[in-house]
């Protein structure tokens, strides 16, 4: 199941420069580049002339230049110059344009809105990580691509009980948690997973505060342990396609003393402690998750009737249902129909200009499923 009309993280902002950067999201090829003013743009990567990859070209004068015949496209996706083949090179046909997708920079990341909703309809990127720009927190970013379905990855970040068993560093943490302080809205989920002590008691001193926003497919986990600085792990999950996921994971620890969840004062972390957490997560923890997720079946999320879920799976299941319901409202891609067309026809993700000006396009948009979320999983498998 892949769905449009959502914000997805495409790359760290620092990676987008004066050379085109190719990305695949939702099974579609895209290209990112900065114009002469440093503004980032995102276009469909396929030139409307002969289908060449624009990412193989260069950027000049704020435009991206196709490597095959030199056609130049601006940040709005319109061809501004056809150097050869027409009488007036600076007046290309109206159909000489490629889809352009809205872009925002936030938290040092490039968010791309892939869909045809206009500015008044688009959901806002959630303010889930205000600490990133405060200067009061140690911060670091890890980028990984894994051949695991993105729904499975989202569920992993909303599953508190796997930590003790999957991750070697966490064997000393309590095995059990109790879900309290639970909040659920249409787009947002938050729950405090209070850790048990040796007598089976729980409270506010130790546990995991889990948050999930379906807008941006982002999970934030704040780990509280007595007498130790809290750690914030925020994972932005981007579906490359049904079988591959791009993860941008931010890790933060406070530089100075901070108030913990239970009201106590906890010391800040040293730069060395944060660097150790970053290295451990990058070199060990993410691979431990991958080893389990890679062999989990089915590849995409199972139906609840095919799983024996328990109380501590509540947030995992709610994150799944929230994502499926959002996909139904926003538009689910019919991947089976798209695959049947792929060898002979080009299909692109819809952009806002498709809705405001539906004519004068060379490439048609991807087929969508006219069905609910449960059927969508089955039809797109």
């Amino acid at each position: 199941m892949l769905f449009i009309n959502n914000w997805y993280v495409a790359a760290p902002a620092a990676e987008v420069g004066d050379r085109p950067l190719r990305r695949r999201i939702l099974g579609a090829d895209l290209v990112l580049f900065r114009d002469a003013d440093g503004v980032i743009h995102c276009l469909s990567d396929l030139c409307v002339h002969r289908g060449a990859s624009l990412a193989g070209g260069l950027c000049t004068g704020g435009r991206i230049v196709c490597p095959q015949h030199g056609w130049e496209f601006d940040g709005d996706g319109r061809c501004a110059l056809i150097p050869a083949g027409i009488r007036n090179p600076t007046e290309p046909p109206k159909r000489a344009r490629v889809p352009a997708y809205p872009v925002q920079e936030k938290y040092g990341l490039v968010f791309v809105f892939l869909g045809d909703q206009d500015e008044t309809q688009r959901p806002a990127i959630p303010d889930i990580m205000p600490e990133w720009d405060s200067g009061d927190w140690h911060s670091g970013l890890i980028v990984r691509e894994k051949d695991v379905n993105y729904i499975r990855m989202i569920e992993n970040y909303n599953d508190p009980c796997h930590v003790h068993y999957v991750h070697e560093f966490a064997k000393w943490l309590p095995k059990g948690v109790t879900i309290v302080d639970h909040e659920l809205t249409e787009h947002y989920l938050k729950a405090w997973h209070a850790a048990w002590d040796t007598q089976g008691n729980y409270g506010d001193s130790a546990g995991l505060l889990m948050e999930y926003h379906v807008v941006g497919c982002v999970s934030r986990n704040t780990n509280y342990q007595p007498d130790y600085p809290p750690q914030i792990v925020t994972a932005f999950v981007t579906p490359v396609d049904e079988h591959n996921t791009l993860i941008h994971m931010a890790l933060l620890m406070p530089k100075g003393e901070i108030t913990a969840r239970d009201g106590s004062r906890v010391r800040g972390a040293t730069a060395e402690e944060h660097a150790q957490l970053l290295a451990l997560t990058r070199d060990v923890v993410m691979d431990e998750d991958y080893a389990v997720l890679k062999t989990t079946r089915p590849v995409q999320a199972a139906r609840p009737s095919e799983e024996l879920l328990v109380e501590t799976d509540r947030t995992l299941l709610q994150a799944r249902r929230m994502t499926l319901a959002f996909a139904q409202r926003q538009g689910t891609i019919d991947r089976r129909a798209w695959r049947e067309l792929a060898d002979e026809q080009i299909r692109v993700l819809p952009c806002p200009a498709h809705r405001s000006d539906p004519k004068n396009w060379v490439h048609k948009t991807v087929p969508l499923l006219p069905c609910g979320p449960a059927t969508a999983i089955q039809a797109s498998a």
Side-chain angles (χ1 to χ4, degrees):
M1 180 200 71
L2 302 174
F3 62 95
I4 60 171
N5 287 316
N6 197 14
W7 291 98
Y8 295 103
V9 173
E15 287 190 10
V16 184
D18 57 2
R19 296 187 65 86
L21 178 67
R22 181 187 289 113
R23 280 291 184 267
R24 172 167 285 196
I25 304 177
L26 301 181
D29 292 321
L30 309 171
V31 60
L32 304 168
F33 69 99
R34 289 187 187 269
D35 64 19
D37 296 321
V39 178
I40 297 178
H41 300 277
C42 178
L43 308 178
S44 170
D45 187 40
L46 300 178
C47 182
V48 293
H49 181 207
R50 298 291 304 282
S53 168
L54 295 176
L58 300 173
C59 294
T60 180
R63 301 170 184 168
I64 188 168
V65 183
C66 178
Q68 192 170 26
H69 297 97
W71 289 29
E72 298 185 11
F73 296 86
D74 62 23
D76 293 327
R78 295 189 177 276
C79 184
L81 178 69
I82 298 179
I86 63 173
R87 180 168 297 179
N88 191 338
T90 60
E91 295 184 5
K94 290 183 178 180
R95 297 176 73 221
R97 59 176 178 172
V98 297
Y101 305 97
V103 172
Q104 286 189 32
E105 290 187 57
K106 194 167 186 173
Y107 312 129
L109 301 170
V110 179
F111 288 80
V112 178
F113 186 82
L114 299 179
D116 58 0
Q117 291 179 343
D118 64 31
E119 192 171 3
T120 63
Q121 298 171 308
R122 286 172 221 148
I125 299 172
D127 293 321
I128 198 169
M129 200 168 56
E131 300 88 353
W132 183 265
D133 296 315
S134 71
D136 297 327
W137 292 69
H138 301 290
S139 60
L141 183 68
I142 302 169
V143 182
R144 286 287 185 274
E145 184 172 329
K146 298 291 186 181
D147 54 338
V148 172
N149 176 263
Y150 79 104
I151 295 290
R152 287 295 192 188
M153 197 66 72
I154 289 172
E155 292 177 353
N156 180 70
Y157 296 133
N158 288 276
D159 175 9
C161 286
H162 86 280
V163 177
H164 174 90
Y165 297 95
V166 173
H167 301 302
E168 189 64 33
F169 83 94
K171 298 299 183 184
W172 63 274
L173 292 175
K175 296 181 181 180
V177 298
T178 296
I179 300 175
V180 294
D181 192 17
H182 186 256
E183 178 184 342
L184 180 65
T185 68
E186 187 178 47
H187 294 161
Y188 175 66
L189 165 67
K190 181 175 75 172
W192 169 243
H193 296 80
W196 299 347
D197 62 19
T198 54
Q199 285 77 43
N201 300 315
Y202 60 88
D204 281 339
S205 62
L208 200 61
L209 181 63
M210 285 189 163
E211 301 173 75
Y212 172 64
H213 279 274
V214 67
V215 178
C217 294
V218 53
S219 298
R220 169 181 166 135
N221 293 333
T222 307
N223 182 22
Y224 292 94
Q225 297 299 326
D227 304 319
Y228 194 76
Q231 308 105 54
I232 299 174
V233 180
T234 306
F236 299 87
V237 174
T238 300
V240 176
D241 51 36
E242 305 103 310
H243 302 290
N244 298 277
T245 300
L246 181 63
I247 308 148
H248 294 80
M249 181 177 288
L251 290 91
L252 300 103
M253 295 181 75
K255 294 179 179 179
E257 190 178 79
I258 193 170
T259 301
R261 180 179 169 84
D262 63 357
S264 63
R265 298 294 290 176
V266 181
R267 69 174 179 85
T270 65
E272 182 180 4
E273 286 174 323
H274 178 261
Q276 290 172 346
L277 174 66
L278 197 67
L280 177 67
T281 304
R282 180 190 63 233
D283 301 334
V284 179
V285 174
M286 296 184 79
D287 287 338
E288 289 172 334
D289 280 328
Y290 172 73
V292 175
L293 295 174
K294 177 61 179 172
T295 57
T296 301
R297 295 294 180 269
V299 172
Q300 301 189 43
R303 294 174 176 83
S305 61
E306 297 174 341
E307 298 174 314
L308 183 58
L309 301 177
V310 295
E311 171 61 22
T312 50
D313 295 318
R314 191 199 319 173
T315 50
L316 178 155
L317 183 58
Q318 287 172 333
R320 180 191 300 175
R321 288 173 173 169
M322 182 188 301
T323 305
L324 298 183
F326 188 72
Q328 181 186 22
R329 293 192 300 271
Q330 301 300 89
T332 304
I333 297 171
D334 187 340
R335 286 293 294 162
R336 180 174 295 171
W338 190 5
R339 281 194 295 266
E340 292 174 354
L341 299 169
D343 289 341
E344 299 179 357
Q345 298 182 31
I346 292 174
R347 288 291 186 269
V348 296
L349 299 175
C351 71
H354 279 109
R355 185 176 294 192
S356 61
D357 182 13
K359 298 180 179 180
N360 297 315
W361 294 94
V362 175
H363 298 154
K364 296 180 180 179
T365 57
V366 297
L368 301 179
L369 284 169
C371 57
T375 309
I377 291 179
Q378 184 178 16
S380 61

